[in-house]
C-alpha cells in the first residue's frame, strides 16, 4: 500500500511539473561557488543602528541616500549613520512602519505602511498622509509605483488605486469587469513601455494596465498556470518574470528561456526581487536566498554560505554597483566588488613565492609548506616533506632554484630545476636550526641568515659562518639583498646593515650613517634605487651622495614600523606595517625624496576593501607575481590584489548637508538660508559624503567664507562648528574625498546669516549720539540750577553722605572680592581707572556644562530652571572656594574656572584643578540624590599660558583669553558625560597623581588632531 501511495505521489508531482513547463526545458547551468569571492560582504543589524532586523523594502533616491523600510519605521542611510523616521522622530512622521517605498519623478519619497495608509515626504521635508478615509481601498499598502503619466499607484491588501498629479484618488478601469475590486496586490511594477504590472502571486492572476484599462496577463507558453511574483524589464526590452515556486523566465524577442534557480528543491520558494548588475548578471532574491545567473552558470547564495537569513525581501543595485539585500530576519547586507580578495588559512603565512617555471605558487606558513596551482592547493613531495614545519622564507633564484628556509631539523633546503632536493642541517655547517632568510648570489654562493650568524656556503662547497667575532655589530640576520655590483646587503635585528663583498664586510650603515633605524625588515630595489624598511621608518639610499632620505609617521604613514614595500603595475607603492596595509603613490615618495613634498596621500585598507585579516607580521614576505598581482602574507591567510582589475572608483562622493544645530536646537536642512539670532553663540552643521564603497575611509574638508582663509585639513569628522560669529553673511563649502582619492564636486554652499543686535547697527549709534548730546546739554542746565537751589541743603548733608560713601566703599570692596581675585580687587580699589591686564605662564582652565540642558529645561518652568541652576552652581562655588580655584564666570549652564593665576610657572594649579574637577562630579552625584531632575556634566581641562584682565568700567568682568582657553572649551565639547577630558599638557603635569586612559586622537578646530586623555 505504501509503495502504491509513493508511486501515485510521484506521478502527481511529475504531472504538475509537466503542466508547469510546456514547450521548453529549463536552461541547464553549472554551479559556481567561486563567484561570490569577488565581493566584499557587509552586514548591518540593530547594533549598527537599524531599528529592526526585518527589512521590507529598499530604494536609493536621486541624491544617493539608501532608504530602508522596516516594521519599526523608515530609515535613511548615508553609509555611516542610520536615521530613523517614525512617530518618535517628530509629530509630522505620523506612522510606525514602512512596508513599501518609492521615489517619484518629482523627488518625493512615498512610504506605504502596514495599516496606516501611505505617506508622501516632499523635498522640503513636509509630510502628507493618505488613508482609507481619503479614498484608498485599504490602509495596508503592499506596493507602490509611478507610471509614465506621473500617477502614483497604490497596491493594498484589498484593492488598487492611483493618486493623480492633481491629488485625486482614482480606481483604474477594468477592475470591476474582472471582479477584482478587492484584489490583493503583492507587487506593482511599471516597465519602460509604460505598462503597469499588477502581481498577486496567485496562479493566472497577473494583470497589466496599458494606459486605458486593466487586463489579465496572457501568460507564458512555458507554463500553463504561472504564478508571477516579480517582473523586471531590461533597457533592451528583455523581460524577466519571477515565478513561484523556483523559476525565472527570460522573454527576449518573443523567445522564452526558463531557469530553475531553486535552492535544494525547497517548496517555500517565492521569487520576490529580480535585478541585473552592470556586468549583465541576473540576481533573483527569494524566501530561500539569492540565485545569480552569470556566464552560463548558477551561484546559490543562502544561509549555508554567508547570507545571514535566507528570506530575501528586496534587492537593489545602487549608483556605484553595490548590491543591497534586505532580509526578513537578518537585517541588511551589502555586496561590493572588493579590491582585494582574502583567502583565510588556519595558520600564519610567512612567505609567498611565485614559481613561473613550474606554474605554481609556494606559501610558507607556520604549519608547513603549501603549493597552489590555478587557485587550488595541491600536494607534492616537498609539501609532504615539510608538513607541520614552520617555513620562514621561500625564494626563487635567478637560475630557477628554489630556496626554502625553516625553523626545524632541516633548516635549509634547495630544490634544483630538475627537481633534485638537497637538505642542509647543523651537521652540514648551518649555524642554527632557525633559518630566517636565504639568498643565492650570481656567483653561486648561498647566504643563509640565522639568529646567531650568517652562514655562507661557497660554490666550491666550503661552509663558514660570520658572527660578531667577524665584525658584525649584531649577527641576528633579518634580511639579505644582492645589489647590481654583486655586494650582499645583510639587514640585522638592531645592528643596521652590513655590506659584504666576497664574504668580507666592506662597510656598515646604521642610524649614525643616516639610516632611519637599525632594525632592518626588508631591503629592495625600486626604480633603480635601494629602499630599506626599518622599525623606525623607511629609507631611500641615494648612491650619488652616499646618503639616506627617511620617511616615517611625520609624513603621514600613521606608523614608523614599515615591514615591506612593493610597487604595483600602476605605480602605487604598497606598504605592510604594524598598523596594517596601506598604499601611497610611488611618485609621491620620489617627490619627497627630492624635497618637493612632505606629506603623502596614504590610503589604508580594511574589511570594506576585501582585506579581512588580523594583520601582518614584521617578518612576513609578500610578493608580486608574473601577472602583476600582489600576494599579501597575513597572520591568518593571504590576500591577492590585482591592480589592473581594481582600478579607482568611477564615482566621486556627493556631499549632502543633513542637519544644523544653533546652540542646542537642531533642524533638518533643506537648502534654504540659515538665520542665526543675535544671541546665538554656536552653529554646528552635520554633513555626509554619499558613497557606499569604503564609506569608513571618507574624509572631508571645509571652508567658511568670511571666517576661514583656506580649506581645512582632511578629516573624518562629519560635523563642523563655529562659535561667536560676528554679524554678517557667511557661506560654508564642504568637499568629500573617498578612499580612492576622488574628490566630490563643489556642493552648493550653505548660506549662514548672523543677525546683529540693534546696537550693532550704525544708524543706532548715530541716533544715540544725537540723543545723548541733547540729554547732556539738558542735564548740564538742570544740574546747574539744581546746584544753586540745593547748595545749602548739600552742605548740611555732607557728613551724612560721607558716612554713606564709607559704607558703600566697604560694600564695593566686599563685592570686588567676591567677583575678582584678591590682588586684582585690591589694585582696582587703589587705582579705579587702571587697566588690568596680565600674562600668566601656566594656568589650568576648566569648562563644564550640563549635557542636554536645553532639552531638559524645555520641560521646566522658569523658577524650576533658576532654582536648579542656583543650587548646582552654589555647590560648585563652595568647592571652588574650598580648593582655591578662581571662578571666572557662568554662561547659562556653562561654568568656567581657572587655577595657577600666578607669575610662577611651576605652580600646582593643574593638580588643584583635577581635585576640583573630581569634586564637581561628586557634587553632581550629591545633587542628583536630592533632586528629581537628574543631570550629567561634561568637563574639559587644558593647561598653558594665557592673558587675563578686567573688561568694562561699570559692569566689569574679569576674564581670560588665549589658545589655552579655546582648547579647554574643545575638551569639554568633545568629551563624554561624567568624564574628565584633558589635554596632553594637563596630563603631563598630573599623571604622577592620577591615572588616565590611553591617549586618544581628537580633531580640534584650528589645531588639527590632538592627543587627549580621560581620567
Amino acid at each position: 500500500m505504501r509503495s502504491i501511495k509513493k508511486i501515485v505521489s510521484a506521478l502527481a508531482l511529475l504531472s504538475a511539473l509537466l503542466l508547469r513547463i510546456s514547450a521548453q526545458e529549463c536552461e541547464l547551468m553549472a554551479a559556481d561557488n567561486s563567484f561570490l569571492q569577488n565581493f566584499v560582504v557587509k552586514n548591518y543589524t540593530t547594533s549598527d543602528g537599524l531599528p529592526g532586523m526585518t527589512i521590507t523594502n529598499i530604494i536609493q533616491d536621486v541624491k544617493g541616500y539608501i532608504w530602508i523600510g522596516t516594521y519599526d519605521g523608515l530609515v535613511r542611510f548615508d553609509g555611516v549613520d542610520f536615521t530613523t523616521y517614525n512617530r518618535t522622530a517628530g509629530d509630522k512622521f505620523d506612522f510606525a512602519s514602512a512596508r513599501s517605498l518609492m521615489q517619484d519623478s518629482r523627488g518625493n519619497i512615498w512610504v506605504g505602511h502596514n495599516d496606516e495608509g501611505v505617506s508622501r515626504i516632499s523635498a522640503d521635508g513636509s509630510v502628507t498622509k493618505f488613508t482609507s478615509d481619503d479614498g484608498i481601498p485599504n490602509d495596508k499598502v503592499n506596493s507602490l509605483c509611478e507610471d509614465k503619466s506621473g500617477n502614483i499607484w497604490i497596491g493594498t491588501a484589498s484593492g488598487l488605486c492611483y493618486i493623480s498629479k492633481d491629488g485625486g484618488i482614482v480606481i483604474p478601469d477594468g477592475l470591476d469587469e474582472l471582479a477584482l475590486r478587492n484584489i490583493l496586490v503583492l507587487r506593482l511594477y511599471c516597465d519602460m513601455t509604460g505598462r503597469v504590472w499588477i502581481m498577486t502571486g496567485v496562479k493566472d492572476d497577473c494583470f497589466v494596465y496599458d494606459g486605458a484599462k486593466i487586463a489579465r496577463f496572457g501568460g507564458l507558453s512555458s507554463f500553463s498556470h504561472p504564478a508571477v511574483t516579480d517582473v523586471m524589464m531590461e533597457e533592451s526590452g528583455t523581460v524577466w518574470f519571477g515565478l513561484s515556486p523556483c523559476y525565472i523566465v527570460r522573454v527576449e524577442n518573443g523567445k522564452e528561456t526558463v531557469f530553475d534557480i531553486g535552492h535544494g528543491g525547497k517548496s517555500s520558494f517565492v521569487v520576490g526581487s529580480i535585478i541585473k548588475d552592470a556586468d549583465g548578471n541576473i540576481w533573483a532574491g527569494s524566501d530561500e536566498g539569492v540565485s545569480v545567473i552569470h556566464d552560463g552558470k548558477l551561484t546559490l547564495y543562502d544561509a549555508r554560505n554567508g547570507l545571514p537569513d535566507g528570506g530575501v525581501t528586496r534587492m537593489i543595485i545602487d549608483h556605484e554597483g553595490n548590491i543591497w539585500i534586505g532580509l526578513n530576519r537578518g537585517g541588511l547586507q551589502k555586496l561590493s566588488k572588493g579590491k582585494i580578495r582574502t583567502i583565510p588559512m588556519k595558520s600564519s603565512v610567512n612567505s609567498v613565492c611565485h614559481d613561473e617555471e613550474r606554474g605554481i605558487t609556494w606559501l610558507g606558513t607556520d604549519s608547513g609548506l603549501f603549493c597552489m596551482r590555478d587557485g587550488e592547493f595541491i600536494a607534492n613531495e616537498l609539501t609532504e616533506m615539510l608538513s607541520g614545519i614552520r617555513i620562514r622564507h621561500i625564494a626563487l633564484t635567478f637560475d630557477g632554484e628554489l630556496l626554502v628556509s625553516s625553523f626545524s631539523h632541516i633548516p635549509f633546503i634547495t630544490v634544483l630545476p630538475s627537481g633534485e632536493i638537497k637538505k642542509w642541517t647543523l651537521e652540514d655547517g648551518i649555524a642554527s636550526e632557525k633559518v630566517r632568510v636565504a639568498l643565492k648570489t650570481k656567483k653561486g654562493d648561498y647566504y643563509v641568515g640565522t639568529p646567531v650568524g650568517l652562514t655562507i656556503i661557497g660554490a666550491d662547497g666550503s661552509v663558514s659562518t660570520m658572527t660578531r667575532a667577524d665584525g658584525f655589530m649584531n649577527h641576528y640576520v633579518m634580511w639579505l639583498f644582492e645589489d647590481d655590483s654583486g655586494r650582499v646587503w645583510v639587514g640585522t635585528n638592531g645592528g643596521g646593515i652590513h655590506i659584504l663583498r666576497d664574504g668580507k664586510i666592506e662597510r656598515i650603515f646604521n642610524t649614525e650613517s643616516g639610516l632611519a633605524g637599525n632594525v632592518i625588515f626588508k631591503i629592495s630595489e625600486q626604480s633603480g634605487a635601494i629602499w630599506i624598511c626599518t622599525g623606525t621608518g623607511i629609507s631611500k639610499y641615494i648612491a650619488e651622495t652616499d646618503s639616506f632620505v627617511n620617511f616615517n609617521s611625520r609624513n603621514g604613514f600613521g606608523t614608523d614600523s614599515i615591514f615591506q614595500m612593493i610597487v604595483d603595475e600602476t605605480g602605487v607603492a604598497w606598504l605592510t606595517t604594524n598598523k596594517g596595509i596601506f598604499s601611497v603613490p610611488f611618485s609621491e615618495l620620489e617627490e619627497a625624496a627630492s624635497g618637493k613634498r612632505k606629506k603623502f596621500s596614504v590610503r589604508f585598507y580594511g574589511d570594506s576593501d576585501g582585506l579581512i585579516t588580523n594583520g601582518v607580521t614584521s617578518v612576513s614576505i609578500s610578493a608580486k607575481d608574473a601577472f602583476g598581482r600582489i600576494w599579501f602574507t597575513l597572520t591568518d591567510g593571504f590576500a591577492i590584489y590585482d591592480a589592473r582589475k581594481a582600478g579607482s572608483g568611477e564615482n566621486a562622493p556627493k556631499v549632502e548637508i543633513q542637519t544644523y544645530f544653533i546652540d542646542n536646537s537642531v533642524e533638518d536642512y533643506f537648502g534654504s538660508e540659515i538665520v542665526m539670532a543675535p544671541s546665538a553663540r554656536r552653529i554646528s552643521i552635520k554633513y555626509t559624503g554619499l558613497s557606499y564603497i569604503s564609506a569608513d575611509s571618507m574624509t572631508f574638508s571645509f571652508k567658511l567664507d568670511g571666517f576661514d582663509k583656506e580649506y581645512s585639513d582632511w578629516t573624518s569628522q562629519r560635523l563642523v562648528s563655529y562659535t561667536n560669529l560676528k554679524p554678517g553673511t557667511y557661506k560654508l563649502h564642504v568637499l568629500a574625498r573617498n578612499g580612492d582619492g576622488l574628490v566630490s564636486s563643489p556642493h552648493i554652499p550653505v548660506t549662514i546669516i548672523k543677525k546683529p543686535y540693534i546696537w550693532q547697527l550704525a544708524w543706532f549709534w548715530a541716533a544715540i549720539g544725537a540723543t545723548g548730546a541733547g540729554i547732556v546739554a539738558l542735564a548740564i542746565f538742570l544740574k546747574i540750577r539744581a546746584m544753586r537751589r540745593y547748595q545749602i541743603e548739600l552742605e548740611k548733608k555732607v557728613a551724612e553722605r560721607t558716612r554713606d560713601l564709607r559704607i558703600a566703599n566697604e560694600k564695593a570692596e566686599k563685592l570686588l572680592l567676591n567677583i575678582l581675585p584678591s590682588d586684582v580687587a585690591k589694585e582696582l580699589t587703589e587705582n579705579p581707572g587702571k587697566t588690568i591686564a596680565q600674562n600668566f605662564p601656566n594656568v589650568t582652565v576648566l569648562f563644564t556644562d550640563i549635557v542636554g540642558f536645553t532639552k531638559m529645561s524645555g520641560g521646566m518652568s522658569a523658577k524650576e530652571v533658576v532654582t536648579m541652576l542656583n543650587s548646582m552652581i552654589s555647590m560648585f562655588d563652595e568647592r571652588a572656594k574650598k580648593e582655591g580655584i578662581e571662578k571666572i564666570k557662568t554662561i547659562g549652564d556653562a561654568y568656567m574656572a581657572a587655577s595657577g593665576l600666578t607669575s610662577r610657572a611651576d605652580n600646582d594649579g593643574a593638580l588643584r584643578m583635577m581635585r576640583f574637577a573630581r569634586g564637581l562630579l561628586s557634587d553632581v552625584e550629591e545633587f542628583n540624590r536630592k533632586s528629581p531632575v537628574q543631570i550629567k556634566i561634561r568637563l574639559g581641562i587644558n593647561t598653558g599660558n594665557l592673558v587675563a584682565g578686567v573688561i568694562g568700567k561699570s559692569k566689569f568682568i574679569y576674564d581670560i583669553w588665549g589658545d589655552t582657553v579655546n582648547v579647554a572649551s574643545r575638551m569639554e565639547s568633545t568629551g563624554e558625560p561624567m568624564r574628565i577630558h584633558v589635554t596632553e599638557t594637563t596630563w603631563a603635569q598630573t599623571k604622577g597623581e592620577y591615572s588616565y586612559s590611553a591617549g586618544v586622537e581628537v580633531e580640534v578646530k584650528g589645531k588639527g588632531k590632538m592627543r587627549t586623555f580621560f581620567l
Side-chain angles (χ1 to χ4, degrees):
M1 183 64 70
R2 290 182 180 179
S3 299
I4 294 174
K5 288 184 177 180
K6 288 182 179 180
I7 294 172
V8 171
S9 299
L11 290 174
L13 182 60
L14 179 60
S15 175
L17 184 59
L18 291 174
L19 287 172
R20 188 176 295 120
I21 304 176
S22 56
Q24 304 177 42
E25 294 183 354
C26 286
E27 181 80 7
L28 296 177
M29 295 170 290
D32 181 12
N33 296 323
S34 64
F35 175 75
L36 295 171
Q37 294 177 346
N38 297 314
F39 294 88
V40 177
V41 179
K42 172 68 175 176
N43 295 317
Y44 300 96
T45 65
T46 51
S47 62
D48 300 297
L50 279 173
M53 294 293 285
T54 298
I55 308 300
T56 57
N57 214 316
I58 315 168
I59 63 170
Q60 184 175 30
D61 67 17
V62 293
K63 292 181 178 180
Y65 284 110
I66 299 295
W67 293 84
I68 305 153
T70 77
Y71 286 131
D72 298 288
L74 174 66
V75 182
R76 188 188 71 183
F77 185 45
D78 64 4
V80 173
D81 295 323
F82 291 93
T83 303
T84 301
Y85 300 94
N86 53 27
R87 287 192 178 91
T88 62
D91 294 338
K92 66 180 180 180
F93 301 108
D94 184 24
F95 53 78
S97 66
R99 182 176 181 83
S100 52
L101 303 174
M102 65 156 284
Q103 184 176 38
D104 65 23
S105 56
R106 297 175 290 279
N108 303 311
I109 300 291
W110 291 79
V111 187
H113 309 299
N114 243 349
D115 197 25
E116 300 172 293
V118 62
S119 297
R120 181 186 66 205
I121 304 175
S122 302
D124 61 0
S126 61
V127 180
T128 305
K129 197 169 185 182
F130 303 87
T131 68
S132 55
D133 293 336
D134 301 298
I136 68 172
N138 190 286
D139 285 330
K140 187 176 188 299
V141 178
N142 294 328
S143 189
L144 299 161
C145 79
E146 181 182 19
D147 65 21
K148 293 294 184 179
S149 300
N151 301 313
I152 307 302
W153 287 69
I154 303 173
T156 77
S158 60
L160 175 68
C161 69
Y162 64 80
I163 300 177
S164 62
K165 280 188 174 181
D166 59 9
I169 296 178
V170 180
I171 304 298
D173 291 339
L175 285 179
D176 289 334
E177 294 179 25
L178 296 169
L180 294 172
R181 187 77 176 193
N182 296 320
I183 183 174
L184 189 158
V185 179
L186 176 69
R187 174 106 163 88
L188 294 171
Y189 175 72
C190 182
D191 64 25
M192 290 185 299
T193 67
R195 295 176 298 181
V196 177
W197 293 81
I198 302 112
M199 290 154 274
T200 67
V202 178
K203 291 181 180 181
D204 297 324
D205 275 356
C206 178
F207 306 91
V208 181
Y209 179 77
D210 60 3
K213 62 187 299 185
I214 293 176
R216 191 179 298 276
F217 173 50
L220 300 166
S221 62
S222 301
F223 290 81
S224 57
H225 300 287
V228 180
T229 54
D230 195 29
V231 176
M232 185 272 290
M233 176 180 280
E234 300 182 36
E235 293 182 0
S236 63
T238 298
V239 181
W240 292 82
F241 292 90
L243 305 180
S244 176
C246 58
Y247 300 99
I248 58 175
V249 180
R250 180 183 65 206
V251 181
E252 186 175 20
N253 298 324
K255 179 183 177 182
E256 296 179 11
T257 306
V258 180
F259 298 88
D260 184 344
I261 59 170
H263 289 237
K266 296 183 179 180
S267 58
S268 60
F269 200 96
V270 176
V271 177
S273 185
I274 304 174
I275 57 176
K276 180 180 179 181
D277 66 23
D279 297 322
N281 305 316
I282 299 297
W283 299 64
S286 71
D287 53 359
E288 292 295 345
V290 179
S291 305
V292 189
I293 300 173
H294 60 94
D295 305 316
K297 300 176 182 178
L298 177 66
T299 292
L300 300 179
Y301 181 43
D302 51 33
R304 296 171 295 185
N305 58 348
L307 198 63
D309 169 37
V312 177
T313 55
R314 180 60 56 193
M315 297 192 303
I316 66 165
I317 300 176
D318 68 21
H319 303 159
E320 297 171 301
N322 302 302
I323 295 171
W324 298 81
I325 303 174
L327 300 168
N328 188 41
R329 295 180 300 275
L332 181 67
Q333 186 176 89
K334 173 172 68 76
L335 301 181
S336 304
K337 282 194 173 180
K339 298 177 181 298
I340 300 172
R341 177 184 172 190
T342 301
I343 294 89
M345 295 185 71
K346 294 182 179 180
S347 63
S348 178
V349 178
N350 302 313
S351 182
V352 61
C353 175
H354 304 288
D355 193 337
E356 297 178 40
E357 187 69 25
R358 300 175 178 86
I360 56 179
T361 298
W362 300 95
L363 296 164
T365 77
D366 280 351
S367 59
L369 183 68
F370 290 83
C371 183
M372 290 189 71
R373 175 179 285 129
D374 298 329
E376 300 291 336
F377 286 103
I378 62 174
N380 53 43
E381 181 183 358
L382 199 58
T383 60
E384 293 177 359
M385 176 192 303
L386 298 176
S387 176
I389 292 177
R390 189 179 187 188
I391 307 300
R392 300 300 299 157
H393 180 230
I394 317 165
L396 200 65
T397 66
F398 64 92
D399 56 358
E401 191 172 344
L402 188 70
L403 309 181
V404 183
S405 304
S406 72
F407 283 11
S408 73
H409 60 286
I410 43 174
F412 182 50
I413 295 174
T414 62
V415 184
L416 299 178
S418 63
E420 179 185 349
I421 299 174
K422 182 169 183 180
K423 307 172 187 177
W424 301 81
T425 65
L426 293 178
E427 288 74 15
D428 299 304
I430 300 296
S432 171
E433 287 189 340
K434 294 183 177 180
V435 173
R436 301 185 63 86
V437 61
L439 170 73
K440 184 178 182 180
T441 68
K442 296 180 181 66
K443 292 183 177 181
D445 300 328
Y446 297 106
Y447 280 64
V448 183
T450 78
V452 296
L454 175 67
T455 296
I456 302 176
I457 305 172
D460 58 1
S462 62
V463 180
S464 61
T465 296
M466 298 182 68
T467 63
R468 290 181 185 272
D470 301 287
F472 273 84
M473 298 179 65
N474 183 305
H475 56 223
Y476 192 119
V477 179
M478 297 278 283
W479 190 249
L480 297 168
F481 169 77
E482 184 180 17
D483 63 22
D484 291 338
S485 66
R487 299 183 302 174
V488 176
W489 297 51
V490 182
T492 68
N493 188 19
I497 299 172
H498 297 66
I499 299 180
L500 278 63
R501 187 184 295 277
D502 298 327
K504 296 181 180 179
I505 298 175
E506 185 175 271
R507 65 182 307 181
I508 296 175
F509 286 136
N510 52 34
T511 52
E512 294 180 1
S513 313
L515 194 62
N518 289 328
V519 176
I520 310 301
F521 293 129
K522 308 289 185 306
I523 307 170
S524 63
E525 183 180 355
Q526 307 289 346
S527 298
I530 293 176
W531 294 76
I532 302 103
C533 299
T534 80
T536 46
I538 187 170
S539 298
K540 178 184 179 182
Y541 176 63
I542 312 296
E544 294 79 3
T545 59
D546 192 32
S547 62
F548 295 94
V549 177
N550 301 321
F551 313 112
N552 51 37
S553 57
R554 296 189 185 94
N555 304 101
F557 282 168
T559 180
D560 288 330
S561 294
I562 310 297
F563 303 153
Q564 187 177 5
M565 180 174 76
I566 301 174
V567 180
D568 69 21
E569 302 294 298
T570 64
V572 174
W574 292 78
L575 292 91
T576 62
T577 73
N578 187 51
K579 195 175 181 179
I581 296 175
F582 68 83
S583 68
V584 60
F586 186 69
S587 59
E588 293 189 4
L589 295 175
E590 296 284 35
E591 289 173 5
S594 60
K596 298 178 181 178
R597 172 188 287 271
K598 290 185 178 179
K599 290 284 187 178
F600 302 133
S601 305
V602 173
R603 163 81 155 92
F604 276 88
Y605 293 81
D607 290 2
S608 59
D609 303 295
L611 184 63
I612 305 169
T613 179
N614 291 324
V616 297
T617 66
S618 62
V619 296
S620 65
I621 305 158
S622 302
K624 184 168 62 175
D625 66 15
F627 302 103
R629 299 175 299 182
I630 299 177
W631 294 56
F632 294 103
T633 51
L634 309 172
T635 59
D636 42 13
F638 62 97
I640 305 172
Y641 171 79
D642 191 336
R644 294 171 297 182
K645 290 185 178 180
S648 295
E650 297 179 356
N651 299 303
K654 182 181 178 184
V655 172
E656 281 295 324
I657 309 299
Q658 295 179 313
T659 55
Y660 62 91
F661 305 78
I662 297 180
D663 293 333
N664 291 320
S665 175
V666 60
E667 297 288 341
D668 291 329
Y669 179 76
F670 296 107
S672 58
E673 296 176 341
I674 299 175
V675 179
M676 299 177 65
S679 59
R681 296 176 55 209
R682 175 185 294 179
I683 181 170
S684 300
I685 296 178
K686 184 181 179 184
Y687 48 80
T688 190
L690 293 178
S691 176
Y692 302 94
I693 300 175
S694 302
D696 52 356
S697 63
M698 190 89 63
T699 54
F700 302 88
S701 179
F702 52 84
K703 181 180 73 170
L704 185 66
D705 286 345
F707 187 88
D708 297 319
K709 293 182 179 180
E710 303 289 341
Y711 273 90
S712 70
D713 292 335
W714 292 101
T715 173
S716 59
Q717 290 190 357
R718 299 178 180 231
L719 183 75
V720 59
S721 298
Y722 292 92
T723 304
N724 296 328
L725 292 175
K726 295 179 180 179
T729 300
Y730 304 85
K731 290 187 180 295
L732 177 69
H733 305 265
V734 181
L735 298 174
R737 182 179 67 183
N738 65 15
D740 292 313
L742 294 177
V743 178
S744 64
S745 300
H747 183 270
I748 297 175
V750 179
T751 300
I752 303 170
I753 300 175
K754 177 66 181 294
K755 292 289 188 180
Y757 286 105
I758 190 172
W759 58 79
Q760 293 175 310
L761 300 172
W763 66 262
F764 173 81
W765 287 109
I768 289 294
T771 303
I775 293 174
V776 170
L778 179 61
I780 293 173
F781 171 76
L782 295 175
K783 186 68 175 178
I784 293 173
R785 189 174 70 171
M787 289 177 65
R788 290 173 180 173
R789 181 179 298 173
Y790 295 110
Q791 184 175 1
I792 297 174
E793 294 182 19
L794 290 174
E795 291 175 353
K796 293 180 181 179
K797 295 181 178 179
V798 168
E800 180 181 353
R801 296 296 186 189
T802 301
R803 185 193 63 192
D804 293 339
L805 181 59
R806 185 177 67 253
I807 295 172
N809 285 338
E810 292 174 353
K811 291 181 178 180
E813 290 177 359
K814 291 180 179 179
L815 181 60
L816 284 175
L817 289 173
N818 280 334
I819 63 176
L820 299 175
S822 59
D823 55 343
V824 175
K826 181 178 180 182
E827 186 69 23
L828 276 181
T829 303
E830 294 175 356
N831 302 285
K834 184 177 181 180
T835 299
I836 304 299
Q838 297 172 290
N839 288 301
F840 295 108
N842 189 29
V843 178
T844 300
V845 180
L846 173 143
F847 276 88
T848 181
D849 73 353
I850 299 174
V851 178
F853 176 75
T854 300
K855 182 176 180 181
M856 179 194 306
S857 60
M860 302 168 64
S861 67
K863 183 177 180 181
E864 290 172 334
V865 173
V866 173
T867 301
M868 180 192 74
L869 284 177
N870 183 57
S871 175
M872 185 188 70
I873 297 301
S874 296
M875 295 174 73
F876 290 1
D877 288 346
E878 285 297 318
R879 185 167 294 278
K881 184 177 180 181
K882 176 181 176 182
E883 299 289 351
I885 301 299
E886 202 66 49
K887 171 187 174 182
I888 303 301
K889 58 184 174 183
T890 59
I891 303 175
D893 63 313
Y895 190 93
M896 177 181 175
S899 61
L901 293 166
T902 174
S903 59
R904 291 178 52 193
D906 60 341
N907 63 77
D908 65 343
L911 289 171
R912 286 190 287 114
M913 184 58 78
M914 292 304 297
R915 288 197 301 271
F916 176 63
R918 294 180 66 186
L920 293 185
L921 293 176
S922 299
D923 290 341
V924 171
E925 292 174 355
E926 177 65 24
F927 175 87
N928 287 339
R929 282 194 290 270
K930 299 178 181 180
S931 171
V933 179
Q934 302 296 294
I935 65 172
K936 293 183 179 181
I937 63 174
R938 286 189 298 266
L939 299 97
I941 300 176
N942 184 32
T943 303
N945 60 72
L946 52 75
V947 175
V950 177
I951 298 299
K953 293 298 183 183
S954 56
K955 293 185 178 180
F956 52 81
I957 183 172
Y958 182 80
D959 210 345
I960 55 179
W961 305 270
D963 192 60
T964 299
V965 180
N966 295 336
V967 173
S969 176
R970 295 293 189 272
M971 293 301 101
E972 177 271 313
S973 62
T974 59
E976 298 178 4
M978 299 303 287
R979 297 193 70 184
I980 300 171
H981 191 198
V982 306
T983 63
E984 192 168 12
T985 309
T986 305
W987 167 81
Q989 295 189 28
T990 60
K991 62 182 180 179
E993 295 291 333
Y994 297 97
S995 296
Y996 290 90
S997 68
V1000 295
E1001 285 190 347
V1002 173
E1003 187 74 21
V1004 176
K1005 170 66 178 175
K1007 301 294 288 184
K1009 289 186 178 180
M1010 292 185 66
R1011 188 165 174 246
T1012 65
F1013 302 81
F1014 284 92
L1015 184 68

